[in-house]
Amino acid sequence: MYWQVLDGNRGGGQTGHMAAVSTTLGEFLALRRAKLDPRVFGIGIDRRRRVTGLRREEVAALVGVSAEYYARLERGKASRPSPQVLEAIAEAFSMTSTERSHLFDLAHGLGRARRADVALARPALAGLVAGLGIPALVINHRFDVITSNQLAQRLFFDFDATHEGNLARFLFLDPLSHRLYRDWRQIARATAAQLRVASARHRHDSRLARLIGELMLRGDHFVDLWAAGEVMERSHGVKRFWNAEVGNLDLAYENLDLPGDRPLRLVLFHAAPQSADHDKLRLLGARPAAALDVRVQGCPTGSSSSVLTTTSPGAGQPRT
């Protein structure tokens, strides 16, 4: 996959800027090499050193390959590196498990067969999600919402009616996302990094390519986050929301892979029992369905005022 943003407006109000980014092995290695501190490896720094991070020949010495071969790797001119070389690179760069997997996907993922795209949830899975008493949704590697329950739509937005049911589009293209997510920058960084992982694992996915291209052209700060070259996967944590009906809401989340339905994962949000957030979540779930068809004026302190759409009557029914 390869994208360019050419001369024109892009997210964040920057204009006349050209950025070219890709998902190649060489690009990933160069970005990671630039982030290494030579002093960690006992390499002195003086005024004559103009390279950010390590030089190619320094990495080659750490990995145990020739400087010429490593240079060919970064330039995309070397054949597929062996697992031993990749392991040595991962160790030299102190890669996380996600970065290591991404490295192997980039090196050996070309042409790898992937399971057919899952567009609909199994009826049993959709029924399970609909019956849960906490916000729950099933998403794929593109952040498409495959199915969700009504409480999830009250927390987020009407997935059936806007942004093609895609959380990444909402996050980067809708100004209201800055209001919903009180930690917008942290979530945006993680989402861009997860899309980069997906782009290596699903490099023949044309819908993913179009999504990333759209975010490159129109997304708020997406180009800069993508160019940072970060890769990560989130299994659990806490998200800090603001909701028009209950105000600030801090919820723990769990991302659960569904092995029989890959690449789908079940996302659950919950609060500690007897906590203020738990009470707010119960209040949000107790609102009558008719109350969802509203446009709520208001915003958190410090934000500009605008209209926030919640969901429409009947929203949140499982897609099967």
Side-chain angles (χ1 to χ4, degrees), residues 24 55 80 114 149 177:
T24 66
R55 297 187 175 98
R80 290 185 178 184
R114 290 289 177 179
N149 61 14
S177 68

Side-chain angles (χ1 to χ4, degrees), residues 205-216:
D205 185 340
S206 59
R207 292 181 63 187
L208 176 61
R210 286 195 299 270
L211 171 64
I212 294 175
E214 180 183 1
L215 298 181
M216 294 287 290

Side-chain angles (χ1 to χ4, degrees), residues 100-245:
R100 178 190 173 280
S101 295
H102 186 65
L103 175 70
F104 275 76
D105 278 333
L106 290 173
H108 298 300
L110 282 172
R112 181 184 299 179
R114 290 289 177 179
R115 187 171 297 186
D117 207 8
V118 179
L120 299 174
R122 291 179 289 105
L125 176 60
L128 170 67
V129 169
L132 291 173
I134 57 176
L137 57 155
V138 173
I139 62 176
N140 62 16
H141 59 289
R142 295 187 299 266
F143 290 91
D144 294 325
V145 178
I146 305 302
T147 190
S148 64
N149 61 14
Q150 194 172 80
L151 193 48
Q153 297 213 24
R154 293 184 187 189
L155 179 62
F156 287 90
F157 58 93
D158 186 349
F159 304 123
D160 295 309
T162 185
H163 300 297
E164 301 179 42
N166 185 274
L167 293 174
R169 280 193 176 90
F170 170 72
L171 175 65
F172 288 107
L173 303 181
D174 194 328
L176 292 180
S177 68
H178 290 266
R179 193 169 305 174
L180 175 68
Y181 297 116
R182 285 151 54 212
D183 291 325
W184 186 91
R185 290 186 180 276
Q186 176 182 334
I187 293 173
R189 175 187 172 193
T191 301
Q194 290 174 84
L195 284 173
R196 180 176 276 277
V197 171
S199 69
R201 291 180 181 171
H202 306 272
R203 60 182 65 193
H204 300 302
D205 185 340
S206 59
R207 292 181 63 187
L208 176 61
R210 286 195 299 270
L211 171 64
I212 294 175
E214 180 183 1
L215 298 181
M216 294 287 290
L217 288 169
R218 300 171 52 210
D220 187 4
H221 301 292
F222 184 80
V223 166
D224 297 328
L225 291 169
W226 184 271
E230 290 187 299
V231 294
M232 66 177 74
E233 292 180 302
R234 293 290 185 91
S235 60
H236 62 279
V238 175
K239 287 189 178 179
R240 303 170 66 242
F241 296 95
W242 178 82
N243 180 272
E245 298 181 67

Side-chain angles (χ1 to χ4, degrees), residues 128-136 149 151-152 268-271 278 281-282 284-286:
L128 170 67
V129 169
L132 291 173
I134 57 176
N149 61 14
L151 193 48
L268 304 173
F269 295 90
H270 62 97
H278 185 263
L281 199 55
R282 290 181 61 189
L284 189 63

